[in-house]
Amino acid sequence: MPSLNFQQGPIRPPSEAESLLIRTTQGCPWNKCSFCTLFEGMSFSIRSVADIKRDIWAAKAFYKQRKFTTCFLQDGDSFAMPTEDLLEVLATLKQAFPELQQISSYGRAQTMTKKTATEMKAICDAGLNMLYCGMESGSAQVLKKMKKGITPKSILKSAEFAKQAGMKMMTFIIMGLGGKELSDDHVQQTAQLLNQINPHEIRVLSLAVKPGTDLDDMVQKGLFTPLTEQEMVAEQQALIEQLQGIDSQYGNFHSINLLMELSGRLPEDKASLLSTIDRFFSMSEAEQNNFILGRRTHYYNALSDMNNRLYFDTVQQQLSTLSHLDPQALAAMFYQLRQRMI
Ligand code: SF4
C-alpha cells in the first residue's frame, strides 16, 4: 500500500474506525483539562483551507474507488474554523466523496456558542451533521475542579444550538470524575443536564488517572480520592436511575469500563441496564473481585464470561496469589490495573 500523503491526527472516536479522517485543526484549543494528556505539548492551530483541500484530494487519490459514508474531522475542534472556511472544506469533501452521509467533529461548547444560529444551520446543511461533545460532567463544581473551561450553562446552550441546527449529538460522560468528594453532585447534575439536553447518544467512560497529570497531582495531595471499581459502577447505577424523559442511545464502549454490556436505548432498556448492575452487586465480594480482575486481565468481556469454567478458575488462581492483600490494597491494585489501560 502506498504511504499516506495527507495528515492524520492522533485521535478519533472509536465509532469512527471505518470513517474517512480529515484533519482540519491540530491539537485542542483549550488543552488545560486536569485529567487529559491527549494533546500534551501540541499547540493548537487551524489548518489552512488550501492544505485541508489538498489533503481531501490526496485522500481521494489514496483510497481510489473506496466509498466512505462517514467522515470524522480531526483534531480537537473544527468549529474553531471561521465559518466560511469550514463551509468551503465541507463543500470540497462532498465533491470528492459524494457518498458521505455523516460528517462529524469534536466541538467545544465555548467555541460553538460563538457561532450564530444561522451559521450553525449552514454548517449542518453543508454536511457537518454530527457533533461529539466532551461534556464529561454536568456539575459546575466538577467542571471547575477539572479545569474544563466550560459550564453546564455553556454546554446546554451549545447543545441547543447544535440540535436546532439539525445536528445529532453524542455526549461523553466520565464516571468517577468528581472523585469521592463530589460523587453525588457529579451524578445528580450530570443526569439533570442530560435530561435537559436529550442527546442522541450518551457514551460513558470510567476515569483512570493518568500519571503526571494535574489530577494525579491532586490525588497525591489528597485533594481528589479516586473511586473504586464498585463505586464507579454504583455511580453509573445512580446516573441511569436519574435519567428521565429522554430517548437517547446509552453505551459503554471503551474497555476501560467494567460492565461493557451496559448499552441500550432509553427509556425502553433502562430496566435491563439496571438489572445488569444489580446482577453485579448481587455477587459476593469474592466473585466481584474475580470479575474485576478478569476484566482487567482481559479474560472477561461481560459478566456471562464468568460461566466459562476455565477462565473463571484461571482468574481465581491469580486472585488467590493476592489473598495477602487487605480490601484497600486490593482496590489499589485494581486501580493500577485500570491505569494501565489508558
Ligand atoms: S477539551 Fe478535551 S482534548 Fe482538550 S484538554 Fe480538555 S479533555 Fe483534553
Side-chain angles (χ1 to χ4, degrees):
M1 211 177 189
S3 61
L4 294 182
N5 58 352
F6 53 97
Q7 282 203 16
Q8 297 279 266
I11 59 155
R12 56 149 178 81
S15 50
E16 301 286 346
E18 297 302 319
S19 301
L20 171 68
L21 302 177
I22 295 293
R23 197 175 197 189
T24 55
T25 59
Q26 292 167 315
C28 161
W30 179 245
N31 218 7
K32 291 180 191 152
C33 298
S34 305
F35 54 90
C36 177
T37 54
L38 273 181
F39 299 108
E40 203 174 17
M42 189 192 293
S43 50
F44 180 72
S45 62
I46 298 172
R47 299 188 66 218
S48 74
V49 174
D51 284 351
I52 302 168
K53 284 166 81 170
R54 198 174 307 119
D55 274 10
I56 292 171
W57 291 111
K60 174 76 178 168
F62 178 80
Y63 291 116
K64 297 193 172 71
Q65 298 309 315
R66 185 167 164 190
K67 295 193 188 323
F68 287 94
T69 55
T70 55
C71 170
F72 177 71
L73 302 180
Q74 299 173 302
D75 287 337
D77 191 354
S78 304
F79 292 89
M81 291 181 77
T83 300
E84 60 275 22
D85 290 357
L86 183 53
L87 293 176
E88 196 176 335
V89 165
L90 292 168
T92 308
L93 254 177
K94 286 288 192 119
Q95 197 188 343
F97 296 93
E99 301 81 15
L100 284 176
Q101 290 165 15
Q102 178 182 290
I103 303 174
S104 58
S105 172
Y106 283 121
R108 269 184 57 75
Q110 272 3 33
T111 316
M112 286 169 42
T113 47
K114 289 195 185 111
K115 305 262 186 223
T116 64
T118 315
E119 285 176 293
M120 288 294 284
K121 175 91 172 66
I123 292 168
C124 182
D125 289 349
L128 206 176
N129 51 8
M130 160 96 176
L131 166 72
Y132 287 100
C133 168
M135 153 179 164
E136 337 291 17
S137 176
S139 155
Q141 290 189 79
V142 173
L143 292 170
K144 192 170 174 206
K145 193 168 178 180
M146 292 301 120
K147 299 197 194 109
K148 269 296 294 181
I150 52 176
T151 61
K153 215 168 147 186
S154 66
I155 296 169
L156 183 60
K157 193 170 166 197
S158 65
E160 280 169 352
F161 266 39
K163 287 184 83 179
Q164 277 161 15
M167 290 177 195
K168 279 189 183 176
M169 187 176 176
M170 185 188 283
T171 50
F172 291 96
I173 301 301
I174 305 183
M175 302 320 304
L177 196 62
K180 290 199 195 199
E181 294 79 6
L182 294 174
S183 180
D184 288 347
D185 195 62
H186 176 47
V187 170
Q188 282 162 18
Q189 302 303 321
T190 301
Q192 213 172 89
L193 191 54
L194 287 170
N195 289 343
Q196 283 178 280
I197 294 174
N198 189 14
H200 284 83
E201 192 161 347
I202 301 166
R203 293 225 170 165
V204 176
L205 297 165
S206 302
L207 180 72
V209 180
K210 292 186 190 181
T213 55
D214 288 353
L215 182 54
D216 185 34
D217 196 44
M218 280 193 245
V219 174
Q220 307 306 327
K221 290 179 176 151
L223 301 172
F224 183 96
T225 315
L227 300 190
T228 63
E229 296 278 10
Q230 282 92 342
E231 287 167 338
M232 204 91 78
V233 176
E235 255 200 2
Q236 198 169 173
Q237 181 180 39
L239 177 74
I240 296 170
E241 276 167 356
Q242 292 176 47
L243 290 174
Q244 312 274 1
I246 58 173
D247 55 359
S248 313
Q249 191 66 32
Y250 182 95
N252 282 245
F253 291 101
H254 198 290
S255 59
I256 197 101
N257 297 337
L258 196 67
L259 296 173
M260 297 291 285
E261 56 267 69
L262 290 181
S263 292
R265 177 158 281 284
L266 297 170
E268 54 266 42
D269 295 326
K270 182 169 177 171
S272 102
L273 295 173
L274 289 172
S275 83
T276 300
I277 295 178
D278 286 345
R279 208 157 70 241
F280 173 75
F281 282 125
S282 69
M283 295 194 298
S284 68
E285 195 183 327
E287 285 170 328
Q288 287 177 20
N289 287 338
N290 176 294
F291 180 70
I292 294 166
L293 186 63
R295 276 286 298 127
R296 296 299 173 224
T297 50
H298 310 291
Y299 282 95
Y300 304 144
N301 279 315
L303 286 169
S304 57
D305 292 332
M306 292 175 83
N307 296 330
N308 181 317
R309 202 68 228 174
L310 180 64
Y311 288 172
F312 183 88
D313 290 344
T314 308
V315 176
Q316 201 54 30
Q317 212 170 2
Q318 290 178 354
L319 198 57
S320 66
T321 65
L322 305 170
S323 57
H324 59 286
L325 299 177
D326 62 32
Q328 222 176 343
L330 191 62
M333 208 212 62
F334 290 153
Y335 173 74
Q336 283 166 9
L337 286 176
R338 194 167 75 234
Q339 271 186 317
R340 280 193 210 160
M341 299 179 81
I342 50 177

